[in-house]
Every structure is written in structure tokens, then in C-alpha cells.
Amino acid sequence: MRNHEVTERNRLLTPKGTLREPGWSRSLVQIYDRKDIKKRKTRIKEWDYYHIISNKNNIAVCFTVSDLGYLELESVNFLDFNTAKDHTTVSMAPFPMGKLHMPSTSETGDVKMRNKKLACEFLVKGNKRIIRCDFPDFDGGKGLKANITLLNEPQDTMVIATPWKTDEKAFYYNQKINCMPASGKVMYDGKVYELSPETDFGGLDWGRGVWTYDNIWYWGSGSGMVDGHRFGFNIGYGFGDTSAASENVIFYDGKAHKFDDVKFNISDNFIDPWTFTSSDGRFEMNFVPIIDRSDYTSVLDIILTSQHQVFGRMTGKAVLDDGTVIRIKDFLCFAERVHNKY
């Protein structure tokens, strides 16, 4: 078992710009400060990504605001599991390099952006997270508006501080918050979708760091209710040097249950069924895809992104720290494989 838990509050980076203490934690106990980074501004990456899965409506919506150094990128996604169709519209601008003023913590501070086509904001108000989006040009003018509130943030989250062996000043500082009940409305193509906190849940992928040039990663996440209890998970690997800790966590009634390695078994056709297996037997799942939200872009093979974020339903077992077995069936969630060069 190699899951070192960071518990003492300290600055994330040393004066030399290297990670002070690689490992995982239940909250942002390590203090991120953009000024501590010892790499050029074009290499710094800061992003907030929210996803909301509605079991009530059988849809999902996703919102991204990111400062990737040389590129500002916003993305809005709408997925309809009834028809197995999805749509993504992006907005881009060159060389933000800190102009978005992304907060140094997920606990306070707001993310706001606005241009001629899109207005998007992520607000933190006490125990509430508010997502507002107005995108008239979404999906060729069909338009998307959202006003969503996420409540009751769980006691534990998953935070990982990961270095790279090939670059001592590269790092990945990431928090995943699962199981936040969602309320509010989403309007797409003239139809209004009402969210219900009893059935619909949101998650946050909050990240700051400096990456190396060429990376492949695997990530999966889900949040929902199982037998009257809030249940969720975060699984993943492939990104940086994870010898100190993995990011694999089961969430149950607000508490994190840490386990070791997991493997995604995927065929070349991403819409074929997947399986997930863990080295300690604590996460064993079958996954039936519904939608492969894929994207491929290559510029002379110098800049490359190949993404497969697959939404579907998972069936299997998860084992808590005390040995309790949680069985899930047709649990709506997603898993992805992404290859980036930039």
C-alpha cells in the first residue's frame, strides 16, 4: 500500500518550485500559489470543470473554464442519454496567462468569464456552489442557459499532489468533489430541464499545475444514491509519478475510503463494454457505455488531443475501509481515456 496521506498544512511548492510533499489528502491542506511556480507562464494550467448528471431527466451537462497558459478554453456539453446524443461547443482565446484570475483554492473565490458569445460563472457562496451559463450560440444557435446550485459539499474530497520524474518543477495538484446534490434549471433548444437534489448530483474537477508535454490519463467518476446513502467514486491513473499515492477513492455518506490501484479494461472501440478491476479487489465493475464524447485534434502532430469521455452505466461492487460491500447496479457515471500533447 503506497497511499501517503498529507495531513499537515503547508505550502504546496518549495522555494525551488518542486512539490513539497507528494501524496493525497481529504481537502486542500497544501497551499497553492501561482507565484511559487518556477516555470514560464505558458506552461501553467488552471481549470475548473463541473459535471452534473441528472437521473431524473436522463441527461448530463458539463462546464469548463480553463487557463492553459497559451490558450483560454471554455467548453459546454449537453448529453441526452434518452437519444444517446451529445453536443459540445467551445470558446477559445489566445495567451490568457493568468488573466482569468483563477482562484488559488476551490473553497473561496469565483470564476467568471464573458465574451461576445458566452457568459459563464462559478460562484462559491457559503455551502453553495452556483453555476450560471448563457450560451445563445450553443449547438448552432439552439442555445443553452443554466442556473444550477450544488449543495451539501461532503466532509471528504479527493486531493492529489503528483510530481513527474522527468521534470522536478512539473506538478499536478487536483481536487475532485463528488456527491453534491443539484437543483436548478437547464434550458436547451427551448426545453427546460428541472433538476432534483434527490436524484441529481454534481461533481467538481479543480486543477492547478504544470504538466509535461506528452501525457495519457484515465479517469472515472460517479455520484448518486445507493440504498438511501450518498455514494460516489473517483478513479484514475497514468498522470505523473503516482508512487506516493493513487487518486482512487470511494465516497460513502461524505467519507472517503481510499484504495490502491485500478485498471480500465477497454477495447479499441470505446462504445464496447468496459471492465474495471482493482489490485486489492475493492472496486470491481462492469460498464456499459451510452455515449462516447470524443474529440481528436492534431496540428502537425506537435499539438495533439485525443479524448474519449464515455458516459454509461456501471454495475458491480465497491468495498469500504471496514469491509462493507456496496453493490451498485446501472449506476450512471463516466470514464475516460485522454491523450494530450501540448
Side-chain angles (χ1 to χ4, degrees), residues 1 35 61 71 83 85 111 131 187 239 285 314:
M1 184 68 71
K35 296 177 182 177
V61 284
L71 180 68
T83 60
K85 293 183 179 179
V111 175
I131 301 166
M187 185 170 71
F239 207 46
M285 299 287 176
M314 194 174 282

Side-chain angles (χ1 to χ4, degrees), residues 317-332:
K317 71 170 186 176
V319 182
L320 306 184
D321 289 343
D322 64 0
T324 301
V325 177
I326 308 301
R327 298 196 180 275
I328 67 171
K329 182 175 176 59
D330 297 331
F331 192 81
L332 196 53

Side-chain angles (χ1 to χ4, degrees), residues 220-248:
S221 180
S223 300
M225 298 296 293
V226 176
D227 297 329
H229 298 266
R230 266 198 280 179
F231 170 85
F233 62 87
N234 184 85
I235 53 176
Y237 61 98
F239 207 46
D241 175 10
T242 58
S243 58
S246 76
E247 63 176 80
N248 300 314

Side-chain angles (χ1 to χ4, degrees), residues 63-77:
F63 307 90
T64 304
V65 175
S66 60
D67 180 338
L68 304 178
Y70 62 87
L71 180 68
E72 174 187 338
L73 187 145
E74 286 80 37
S75 174
V76 178
N77 324 114

Side-chain angles (χ1 to χ4, degrees), residues 133-282:
C133 177
D134 188 4
F135 203 165
D137 289 342
F138 183 82
D139 193 4
K142 291 180 180 179
L144 186 143
K145 294 184 71 172
N147 191 340
I148 299 168
T149 298
L150 303 180
L151 289 169
N152 300 325
E153 192 167 304
Q155 179 179 348
D156 289 343
T157 69
M158 192 296 301
V159 179
I160 193 82
T162 302
W164 267 268
K165 292 180 179 179
T166 55
D167 186 343
E168 65 175 6
K169 294 179 181 178
F171 68 96
Y172 171 59
Y173 192 44
N174 179 233
Q175 181 184 42
K176 304 286 181 24
I177 304 176
N178 287 60
C179 301
M180 292 183 283
S183 61
K185 298 178 181 180
V186 178
M187 185 170 71
Y188 166 60
D189 193 19
K191 183 176 180 179
V192 177
Y193 300 86
E194 298 262 4
L195 301 177
S196 170
E198 288 77 29
T199 57
D200 305 338
F201 293 86
L204 170 63
D205 171 12
W206 180 94
R208 307 291 185 262
V210 174
W211 305 351
T212 54
Y213 166 67
D214 188 350
N215 292 283
I216 296 174
W217 73 77
Y218 300 81
W219 176 39
S221 180
S223 300
M225 298 296 293
V226 176
D227 297 329
H229 298 266
R230 266 198 280 179
F231 170 85
F233 62 87
N234 184 85
I235 53 176
Y237 61 98
F239 207 46
D241 175 10
T242 58
S243 58
S246 76
E247 63 176 80
N248 300 314
V249 172
I250 300 161
F251 297 102
Y252 194 72
D253 285 342
K255 294 289 291 181
H257 298 256
K258 191 76 180 65
F259 66 101
D260 205 7
D261 292 323
V262 68
K263 183 180 180 183
F264 292 36
N265 300 303
I266 317 167
S267 77
D268 292 335
N269 181 7
F270 285 82
I271 209 69
D272 287 342
W274 302 20
T275 63
F276 301 85
T277 186
S278 54
S279 58
D280 51 14
R282 292 182 57 189

Side-chain angles (χ1 to χ4, degrees), residues 34-107:
R34 184 183 176 96
K35 296 177 182 177
D36 293 342
I37 297 173
K38 306 301 182 183
K39 301 286 281 189
R40 65 183 186 271
K41 291 182 179 180
T42 53
R43 299 304 302 165
I44 300 174
K45 293 174 173 57
E46 300 177 325
W47 70 94
D48 286 24
Y49 167 75
Y50 283 94
H51 62 272
I52 297 91
I53 294 179
S54 171
N55 286 279
K56 174 184 175 182
N57 299 287
N58 213 26
I59 64 165
V61 284
C62 312
F63 307 90
T64 304
V65 175
S66 60
D67 180 338
L68 304 178
Y70 62 87
L71 180 68
E72 174 187 338
L73 187 145
E74 286 80 37
S75 174
V76 178
N77 324 114
F78 183 92
L79 304 100
D80 187 339
F81 305 123
N82 299 293
T83 60
K85 293 183 179 179
D86 70 290
H87 189 81
T88 301
T89 303
V90 301
S91 172
M92 294 184 288
F95 299 108
M97 294 192 294
K99 294 177 183 177
L100 286 175
H101 303 290
M102 303 290 283
S104 59
T105 174
S106 69
E107 296 168 359

